[in-house]
Amino acid sequence: MELQEFQELVSSATGRGSVLVAFIRCEVTYSGRAETFLPLGDRILILKADGSLLIHQPSGSTPVNYMKAGTQVVLTQENGALTVSARNAHEKAWLTLIVREVHDAIARKLEDGQSIDLAGNERDMSDWIRDNPSCISANFRPVQREEQTDVGFIDVLGHDGDGLVVVECKRVTASLSAVDQLRRYVERVQRIRGTMTVRGVLAAPAITPNAHEMLTSWGFTFCRIDPPKRLERWGKGQARLGQFP
Amino acid sequence: MELQEFQELVSSATGRGSVLVAFIRCEVTYSGRAETFLPLGDRILILKADGSLLIHQPSGSTPVNYMKAGTQVVLTQENGALTVSARNAHEKAWLTLIVREVHDAIARKLEDGQSIDLAGNERDMSDWIRDNPSCISANFRPVQREEQTDVGFIDVLGHDGDGLVVVECKRVTASLSAVDQLRRYVERVQRIRGTMTVRGVLAAPAITPNAHEMLTSWGFTFCRIDPPKRLERWGKGQARLGQFP
DNA sequence: ACACCAAGCAGCAAT
DNA sequence: ATTGCTGTTTGGTGT
């Protein structure tokens, strides 16, 4: 495809609210939070109607360069190369694409009003603990979920007779930073509520050895809980999903 | 485009090591680290030669669903719909794409042996501090960079006459978690090296108010340092980048 | 393989 | 707009 034809396709696509995808040979320069340079090679360019710009290499699941929504794009042509200048004022980021060749390109207006439905996040986990407090301890009674302090949100706050209990949830293996976080919350609750005894509980499917050592050295306890993946609403669809033709 | 034609295009593309991009109307089901469902809508499908699979909605800069490299894809057709079954055994993830319509599709073998060159990361910052120790204090002398402990790497370790100094670098505004990290390192150095006085310094371009309060309450100090973005190797190219046509 | 951490993290919610 | 945190975080490095 000629560069001139491509330039017209891009212009009409962006003006019309279409998405454009192209296989191009290009080099990429970026300056913003960091600075990058990518020498000449074949790439996939995606330009969306909201101003998102993505550049993918032929392998890998993450873009090699990108600009977020709200980016403004200007095309200029000189000396047999097309320059795509992208600027995002809000992000203070600039990206320049020098296009040497266009292998193929398509553009189209796409209709999608749907949003994704996700299950199995940390919120589901703290909800489940609140509904099943005995998983923390026999006498545990939740007080509030996600209490806000000046040092961050507390996932679950409760008491178990002796005193207050701060629960920090992680949906994956808990690491040192999770213990840091729990410690920060426990100390803050101790300060707010005076000298009352405050227990700290880390709830996660697993914990790393170093994190567990640090946890116990601070007098906190680990509580093994698997994150609930509750798309059982799918019914049998979920069972079918694990199978593979 | 007919579903049959699309199926043949996908098959030949994957067999040939090509990248495939398509505008399709589909619904998506995912089960792996979490579970998701995305109802019918127009999407962009990207299928790379390494087995990466990406599904983008018409807006937004991140994929709504994805599978990492190494994913195996099987196509089946029944009742006027094409089903794309994707499995990644290593990640224990499954994704099913029910394709109702194919608006457009392109496939091609892309050549790209280049890799991106990036400047302005935290490593550059700790290198700079090591070369310019007076930015921490007049007498500061670095001992080692990134000393490994069982609670993580220490960015810069040094002494300033009175005792040891632990420096934690952040290339962006330092937050509570940065103070957590610094505290963890200082405590560990105190334990390893006995009762010796250990100072903690957080080096970053800025710090949030709460983090600064927590920092000083622990007796640590903040040291304002801007991260070096040193792609001056580009010469004038960098200056030109900030300009916009 | 696991552990730990930085990231041009992104995106979201609350302040 | 800033702060803080979750994420199918991702990706890299070191053990």
Side-chain angles (χ1 to χ4, degrees), chain A residues 9 14 16-17 19 23 27 31 50 57 69 79 83 92-93 123 131 152 167 185 195 204 206 208 221 226 229 232 234:
Chain A
L9 181 66
T14 54
R16 196 173 308 173
V19 176
F23 293 151
E27 56 183 273
S31 179
D50 65 353
Q57 291 186 295
N79 305 330
T83 299
K92 288 175 188 162
R123 174 70 175 249
D131 295 339
V167 181
Y185 296 153
T195 58
T208 67
T221 53
D226 286 305
K229 294 182 185 175
E232 294 90 12
W234 295 352

Side-chain angles (χ1 to χ4, degrees), chain A residues 62 121-122 151 168 170-171 184-185:
Chain A
T62 55
N121 55 14
E122 202 192 73
V151 292
E168 173 62 26
K170 290 294 163 197
R171 56 181 296 287
R184 200 202 303 151
Y185 296 153

Side-chain angles (χ1 to χ4, degrees), chain A residues 147-150 186-195:
Chain A
E147 167 153 324
Q148 177 99 22
T149 73
D150 60 346
V186 168
E187 286 170 351
R188 182 45 48 115
V189 171
Q190 281 172 335
R191 184 172 306 180
I192 290 172
R193 311 259 176 157
T195 58

